[in-house]
C-alpha cells in the first residue's frame, strides 16, 4: 500500500502488527542493536531525567505486552498531558475515544515492561476543535488526569516567538515507538537529537496534494537532520519535541522515518496549547 504521507492508515496497519511484531522480536530473535537505540537513530533515555515524557496506554485495545502503549505525551501541568489529536481517532483506537474505559497515562517509567512510576487514568479530554484530519493541521489534544503528577514532572510550553522555535536550534524527540521504521517497537524510552529545520524544508517535502497531509507552517514545526537517520516514527506520535528546556512540538506525522528528504513534522506547541 502506497501511503507515505498520512499517519492514520499507516498507524492502523502498524497497530494490527504491533503485538505480533513485539512478540516476534522478543521471542524469536535477539533484539537488534537498533532497537536499543531508537526513536529512529536515538539513544536510551532515563525517565528520572525526562519526567515530562509519558506513554498513553490502553491494555484493552493494545494488549499488555508493552503495557498498552500506543502514543506518547508531554506533561504541561500536574493534571494535563498534551498529545496528538490523531492518537484519539476512532480509526486508531478501534472505538471512540470517549468509550475507551482504560485510557491511562504512564509517567516516570522508562521501561514499559518494568513496573514503577505512575499509572493515572484519564478523566477528561480536549481535542483541538481546529484539528483537520485531512491536512493534519492542529494535531493536538489535552488529557486531564484523575490525579495530579508531581509538579517536577511539568515541562513549560515555549510561547510563540520563543527562540527555541528558530531553525538550527538543537532539539530532542522522545518516545517508545518504532526504532527501525520496520515495526520494531521499543520497550524502553528513546531519545533522538534533531534540529529545528526551516519551514521550507517541510513545505518542499510535503506540498499541497489532494487528500494528503501537507505542511502548514502556522500550526506545524519541521525537525530532523539534513542527512536523515534521526527521527520520530510510528508509536511516537503525541510525544514531546524539547528545545532549550521547553516543549516546542508534539510528534505528528511524516513520510517514513529518518529519511533525509522527509523530515519529521510536529504540531507547533505555541499554536495549539493553552498557556503558551
Ligand atoms: C506515525 O505514523 C509517524 N517520521 C510519526 C512520526 C513520523 C512518521 C510517522 C515522523 O505516527
Amino acid at each position: 500500500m502506497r501511503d507515505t504521507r498520512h499517519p492514520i492508515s499507516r498507524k492502523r496497519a502498524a497497530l494490527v502488527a504491533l503485538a505480533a511484531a513485539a512478540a516476534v522480536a522478543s521471542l524469536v530473535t535477539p533484539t537488534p542493536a537498533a532497537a536499543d537505540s531508537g526513536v529512529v537513530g536515538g539513544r536510551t533515555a532515563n525517565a528520572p531525567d525526562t519526567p515530562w515524557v509519558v506513554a498513553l496506554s490502553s491494555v484493552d485495545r493494545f494488549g499488555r505486552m508493552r503495557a498498552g502503549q500506543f502514543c506518547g505525551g508531554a506533561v504541561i501541568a500536574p493534571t494535563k498531558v498534551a498529545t496528538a489529536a490523531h492518537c484519539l481517532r476512532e480509526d486508531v483506537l478501534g472505538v471512540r475515544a470517549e468509550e475507551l474505559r482504560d485510557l491511562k497515562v504512564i509517567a516516570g517509567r522508562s521501561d514499559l515492561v518494568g513496573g514503577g512510576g505512575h499509572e493515572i487514568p484519564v478523566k477528561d479530554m480536549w481535542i483541538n476543535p481546529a484539528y483537520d484530519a485531512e491536512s493534519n493541521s492542529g494535531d493536538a489534544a489535552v488529557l486531564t488526569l484523575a490525579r495530579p503528577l508531581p509538579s517536577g514532572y511539568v515541562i513549560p510550553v515555549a510561547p510563540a516567538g520563543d527562540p527555541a522555535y528558530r531553525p538550527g536550534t538543537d532539539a530532542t524527540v522522545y518516545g517508545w515507538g518504532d526504532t527501525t521504521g520496520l515495526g520494531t517497537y521499543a520497550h524502553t524510552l528513546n531519545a533522538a537529537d534533531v534540529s529545528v529545520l526551516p519551514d521550507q524544508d517541510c513545505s518542499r517535502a510535503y506540498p499541497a496534494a489532494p487528500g494528503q497531509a501537507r505542511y502548514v507552517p502556522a500550526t506545524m514545526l519541521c525537525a530532523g537532520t539534513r542527512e536523515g537517520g534521526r527521527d520520530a516514527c510510528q508509536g511516537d506520535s503525541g510525544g514531546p519535541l524539547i528545545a532549550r528546556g521547553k516543549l516546542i512540538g508534539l510528534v505528528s506525522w511524516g513520510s517514513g522515518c529518518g529519511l533525509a528528504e522527509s523530515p519529521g513534522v510536529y504540531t507547533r506547541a505555541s499554536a495549539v496549547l493553552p498557556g503558551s
Side-chain angles (χ1 to χ4, degrees), residues 24-200:
V24 169
S26 59
L27 296 177
V28 179
T29 51
T31 309
D36 290 327
S37 58
V39 169
V40 165
R43 54 188 156 81
T44 299
N46 193 16
D49 302 331
T50 59
W52 21 263
V53 192
V54 301
L56 303 197
S57 139
S58 167
V59 169
D60 282 358
R61 303 308 308 178
F62 303 103
R64 69 180 75 256
M65 183 81 69
R66 295 170 58 264
Q69 188 273 345
F70 66 97
C71 267
V75 182
I76 57 168
T79 59
K80 301 285 182 190
V81 165
T83 187
H86 86 254
C87 288
L88 303 174
R89 284 176 53 144
E90 187 171 355
D91 55 358
V92 171
L93 297 175
V95 293
R96 296 188 328 117
E98 309 78 63
E99 288 161 12
L100 199 59
R101 287 289 164 77
D102 75 333
L103 179 60
K104 284 183 191 146
V105 158
I106 302 177
R109 182 192 300 172
S110 326
D111 186 347
L112 291 172
V113 298
H118 307 254
E119 268 192 39
I120 305 185
V122 171
K123 73 166 189 197
D124 201 3
M125 61 180 75
W126 171 85
I127 297 175
N128 181 11
Y131 167 56
D132 174 24
E134 187 167 306
S135 64
N136 270 329
S137 179
D139 189 8
V142 178
L143 308 176
T144 302
L145 306 183
R147 297 187 296 276
L149 284 163
S151 58
Y153 281 54
V154 174
I155 185 97
V157 178
D162 193 291
Y165 292 100
R166 265 186 221 141
T169 305
D170 292 338
T172 305
V173 58
Y174 296 86
W176 287 269
D178 190 348
T179 58
T180 59
L182 302 169
T184 316
Y185 289 87
H187 280 188
T188 53
L189 179 61
N190 291 304
D193 296 325
V194 295
S195 300
V196 178
L197 295 174
D199 286 326
Q200 71 182 59

Side-chain angles (χ1 to χ4, degrees), residues 6-8 10-11 86 231-237 251-258 262-265:
H6 207 282
I8 304 309
R10 283 201 321 281
K11 181 173 293 291
H86 86 254
D231 196 7
C233 200
Q234 278 170 6
D236 295 321
S237 282
V251 176
S252 181
W253 63 283
S255 177
C257 304
S262 306
V265 185

Side-chain angles (χ1 to χ4, degrees), residues 199 215-220 268 270-271:
D199 286 326
Y215 188 70
V216 180
T219 59
M220 299 178 185
R268 188 178 284 270
S270 62

